Amino acid sequence: MAFWWPLLVLAFAYGICRFLLMLIPPKVPSIDVDTSDVLDDGNQQQENSFIYVPPRGTSQQSGKIVQCYEPATMKYLGYVPALTHDEVKDRVTKVRKAQKMWAKSSFKQRRLFLRILLKYIIKHQALICDLCSLIRISSRDTGKTMVDASLGEIMTTCEKINWLLSEGEQWLKPEYRSSGRSMLHKRAKVEFHPLGVIGAIVSWNYPFHNIFNPMLVAIFSGNGIVIKISEHASWSGCFYFRIIQSALAAIGAPEDLVEVITGFSETGEALVSSVDKVIFVGSPGVGKMIMSNAANTLIPVTLELGGKDAFIVCEDVDLDHVAQIAVRAVLQSSGQNCAGAERFYVHREIYSSFVSKVTKIVKSVTAGPPLGGKYDMGALCMHEHSEKLEGLLNDALDKGAEIVARGSLGNIGEDAVDQYFPPTVIVNVNHSMRLMQEEAFGPIMPIMKFSSDEEVVKLANDSKYGLGCAVFSGNQSRAREIASQIHAGVAAVNDFASTYMCQSLPFGGVKHSGFGRFGGVEGLRACCLVKAVVEDRWWPFVKTKIPKPIQYPLAENGFEFQESLVEALYGLGIRDRLRALVNVLKMLTEQNPASSSNKRRND
């Protein structure tokens, strides 16, 4: 006891000191970001006060500029340049030069960069939500409510930063591996080096997080990054770039380490052909084109594409609870959720009750303009998307489906335009309908019956997509078993979309939902050149030396030696391995292996 007592006292004192140090906040510089030209203070210039009407039947626009507008009111916000091929090349060249310096930076400097960003985000939440600053800009660009923007943009980004601060360095340090039996005298490890310049082409639905998500891992792993933001969310993206620039300046990092570029397909194609890796978030069609272009330079690609996620409800659930989750999963913030539920499978025993409850919820909520800041059911952010949704709905109705609830859009505001789609609950659906096969990305809830766990697994896997799924059951083991059989990249058991808030986990899909992962260790290391390294364990005292029988010129017993060596190392029986080892040692000590070999053959 006398021996252990001092150790216990020291351990207790160490713990107290660590706790006290945790109470002392780190010294993190503050940054100022100019918001004067993005705040809506009622004094906007006349040219930014009209209602913008995009051309019909085409993509949003084309040409040398990208027009920006609020999706809720179509109020014109301004424009940003559509960069040409040569302009993109020039930006990448600047980033590449800056990255060579940044690759030598310490993890201490990289963590300070993250803390500065985190401090700014947390400090400005009130300004962000109340004064149309950061998150309000997301709302103006994508039509989100303040709460949805905070949940989907702020919390996920803060969690990402926190995970990198806590664990990022340990996962980028050299990782030592087993050297195996034949290389016991060697030390084997894996090193993680920056790839160079990462190119990210991101979607519009989470304009803040979709920029910060690839940027954070790229910079922390020593890379530079060029981010091509969506033409549908360029207004907010350009402001977020200012935050990044200010944080880089605060730590003395190269000013060209991060670039945000704007434009259309030409801009994206130029980026793919210029960088060392591409991360893409978007549609399967565009993802295939990016893969094709990336094949020309043989660079790695991470694709996070469409989804048709299954939402499975077994008969033993708390119906009120699951109905609330289901409505939020597909109807609220519609057209903004990535990995959103799009196919609902409900057990036959509770089918009618479930439909009744979600119908009641939908009818009780009146759709309103997203800038009201309370709730958002039915908002669309992409021009002409409502026409696609009507096509999917009409196809289902023609094949026997029935609408049981449809929200009202009577109070969306006098200045709002047709950027809304009525929240719709539809039953009697089946897999012959386009609605159950094509990604909708809108506020339509198709509900289908199932009778057994085997049947619902088969239904859930009957899709060209495989991004995520959610399974609800009063028996967690049952829910876990169903989820394990669904061919998807992420799964939530008795919850919805919770996997994305666990930033230690990889995120991505299979099949037409893409491949590769961002998030977690896998996403962080995917931004690295993974290098295998072997070196002498006890150098210079023990070095690799080629045994005499297999030195050039080869001895006549060279193969016999090699045969015995393999058996000595990997033989299944200990007697066989010992006998082979004796032969190996014997051949190593023979003075004239050639003569001995000839003698054995003559005998």
Side-chain angles (χ1 to χ4, degrees):
M1 183 64 182
F3 174 76
W4 289 105
W5 179 248
L7 293 180
L8 291 174
V9 172
L10 288 173
F12 180 76
Y14 175 77
I16 293 295
C17 291
R18 287 292 301 269
F19 176 74
L20 293 175
L21 287 173
M22 290 174 60
L23 298 178
I24 303 174
K27 293 183 178 180
V28 179
S30 298
I31 57 174
D32 293 319
V33 181
D34 181 21
T35 63
S36 60
D37 59 337
V38 293
L39 289 175
D40 186 0
D41 56 5
N43 297 316
Q44 290 181 322
Q45 298 179 3
Q46 185 175 359
E47 60 267 24
N48 286 7
S49 62
F50 63 87
I51 300 299
Y52 179 74
V53 181
R56 307 291 292 185
T58 63
S59 59
Q60 183 200 6
Q61 323 123 47
S62 60
K64 296 183 179 180
I65 61 174
V66 179
Q67 309 281 6
C68 305
Y69 55 88
E70 293 180 356
T73 64
M74 300 304 288
K75 183 178 180 180
Y76 187 65
L77 296 173
Y79 67 87
V80 294
L83 299 186
T84 65
H85 185 277
D86 291 338
E87 289 172 327
V88 174
K89 293 280 189 181
D90 290 341
R91 300 283 183 95
V92 174
T93 299
K94 291 180 181 179
V95 175
R96 194 175 297 282
K97 183 178 179 180
Q99 186 274 330
K100 293 184 184 300
M101 295 183 285
W102 179 250
K104 302 175 184 177
S105 64
S106 66
F107 283 111
K108 181 179 180 180
Q109 187 179 17
R110 299 176 193 180
R111 279 193 293 270
L112 181 59
F113 171 69
L114 298 186
R115 290 192 177 103
I116 291 172
L117 291 174
L118 185 60
K119 181 178 180 179
Y120 182 87
I121 295 169
I122 294 174
K123 183 179 179 181
H124 289 80
Q125 286 189 88
L127 177 64
I128 284 165
C129 297
D130 296 337
L131 301 179
C132 295
S133 181
L134 188 62
I135 290 304
R136 192 71 170 186
I137 292 171
S138 282
S139 299
R140 293 180 68 187
D141 225 0
T142 62
K144 296 185 181 185
T145 67
M146 300 302 101
V147 172
D148 286 329
S150 181
L151 285 170
E153 309 269 18
I154 289 290
M155 286 192 67
T156 50
T157 302
C158 289
E159 184 63 33
K160 183 81 166 187
I161 293 173
N162 184 67
W163 179 78
L164 286 169
L165 288 172
S166 301
E167 301 183 31
E169 181 179 357
Q170 76 179 67
W171 293 114
L172 292 178
K173 286 183 176 180
E175 182 179 288
Y176 288 89
R177 305 281 181 89
S178 167
S179 56
R181 292 180 179 177
S182 62
M183 292 285 119
L184 283 174
H185 60 297
K186 297 288 187 178
R187 184 165 50 220
K189 62 180 177 179
V190 180
E191 294 178 348
F192 304 94
H193 301 276
L195 278 173
V197 179
I198 307 296
I201 302 176
V202 298
S203 62
W204 50 269
N205 57 336
Y206 287 93
F208 179 73
H209 181 68
N210 283 350
I211 289 174
F212 274 69
N213 185 37
M215 183 277 298
L216 291 168
V217 293
I219 299 304
F220 194 81
S221 56
N223 295 282
I225 186 168
V226 181
I227 308 167
K228 193 273 180 187
I229 53 180
S230 170
E231 58 269 29
H232 300 288
S234 297
W235 183 253
S236 57
C238 291
F239 173 73
Y240 303 144
F241 182 38
R242 298 180 193 174
I243 303 173
I244 298 169
Q245 287 178 309
S246 298
L248 289 173
I251 63 170
E255 62 179 358
D256 294 324
L257 188 61
V258 178
E259 279 284 355
V260 168
I261 60 176
T262 54
F264 303 102
S265 59
E266 179 188 9
T267 306
E269 290 171 5
L271 181 62
V272 173
S273 64
S274 309
V275 295
D276 303 303
K277 174 186 172 66
V278 172
I279 299 172
F280 174 70
V281 181
S283 69
V286 178
K288 291 177 182 179
M289 289 189 289
I290 287 175
M291 275 193 67
S292 178
N293 292 336
N296 294 327
T297 50
L298 290 177
I299 59 171
V301 177
T302 295
L303 301 177
E304 196 269 280
L305 307 176
K308 199 71 182 172
D309 292 7
F311 191 106
I312 298 171
V313 184
C314 297
E315 75 280 4
D316 54 357
V317 299
D318 179 344
L319 263 183
D320 291 322
H321 172 68
V322 177
Q324 286 285 342
I325 295 176
V327 171
R328 183 167 184 85
V330 70
L331 297 183
Q332 283 191 266
S333 300
S334 55
Q336 298 165 10
N337 286 331
C338 57
E342 292 213 348
R343 295 180 295 159
F344 288 77
Y345 300 104
V346 180
H347 196 277
R348 185 176 299 274
E349 292 182 14
I350 60 168
Y351 183 82
S352 297
S353 298
F354 180 83
V355 171
S356 176
K357 289 182 181 296
V358 297
T359 297
K360 183 178 179 180
I361 296 172
V362 171
K363 288 182 177 180
S364 68
V365 180
T366 301
L371 291 184
K374 295 181 179 179
Y375 47 77
D376 166 21
M377 295 185 70
L380 299 179
C381 308
M382 292 182 65
H383 184 58
E384 296 183 339
H385 188 59
S386 59
E387 295 177 5
K388 175 185 177 180
L389 296 180
E390 281 291 352
L392 295 176
L393 201 60
N394 290 335
D395 174 75
L397 294 174
D398 291 342
K399 294 176 180 176
E402 177 188 356
I403 294 176
V404 293
R406 200 160 200 195
S408 169
L409 300 179
N411 298 316
I412 63 175
E414 294 180 357
D415 59 344
V417 293
D418 62 346
Q419 293 289 100
Y420 294 87
F421 189 89
T424 304
V425 180
I426 185 170
V427 296
N428 298 331
V429 295
N430 58 64
H431 281 209
S432 70
M433 302 171 183
R434 291 171 53 207
L435 181 60
M436 297 297 282
Q437 295 295 336
E438 300 178 19
E439 184 179 34
F441 225 88
I444 303 175
M445 178 186 283
I447 308 176
M448 186 173 177
K449 300 176 184 177
F450 74 90
S451 300
S452 66
D453 294 357
E454 293 75 17
E455 180 187 10
V456 78
V457 168
K458 184 177 180 180
L459 289 170
N461 286 330
D462 180 25
S463 174
K464 64 181 179 181
Y465 296 104
L467 188 53
C469 67
V471 183
F472 293 82
S473 171
N475 184 329
Q476 187 160 328
S477 296
R478 178 188 180 188
R480 190 186 305 121
E481 177 63 22
I482 293 173
S484 69
Q485 298 178 65
I486 297 175
H487 197 39
V490 296
V493 174
N494 284 323
D495 206 342
F496 171 75
S498 55
T499 48
Y500 202 69
M501 278 305 296
C502 300
Q503 285 292 319
S504 63
L505 295 177
F507 184 85
V510 294
K511 298 188 284 188
H512 282 220
S513 291
F515 58 85
R517 296 293 183 268
F518 57 78
V521 181
E522 294 78 3
L524 181 61
R525 289 179 170 179
C527 291
C528 298
L529 166 63
V530 182
K531 182 180 293 186
V533 178
V534 175
E535 59 185 2
D536 289 315
R537 189 185 298 273
W538 299 291
W539 190 88
F541 305 105
V542 177
K543 302 179 182 178
T544 298
K545 186 177 181 182
I546 300 175
K548 287 184 179 180
I550 57 175
Q551 288 181 5
Y552 289 122
L554 293 175
E556 291 188 21
N557 65 344
F559 179 74
E560 182 183 351
F561 170 83
Q562 190 63 31
E563 190 177 36
S564 296
L565 179 61
V566 169
E567 187 172 7
L569 290 171
Y570 309 110
L572 298 180
I574 187 65
R575 289 185 178 180
D576 293 336
R577 289 174 61 187
L578 288 173
R579 183 176 63 251
L581 179 60
V582 170
N583 289 337
V584 168
L585 295 174
K586 184 177 180 181
M587 284 182 274
L588 286 174
T589 56
E590 286 179 348
Q591 297 297 322
N592 190 351
S595 300
S596 300
S597 179
N598 289 332
K599 181 179 180 181
R600 280 193 294 272
R601 280 198 297 271
N602 292 332
D603 293 341

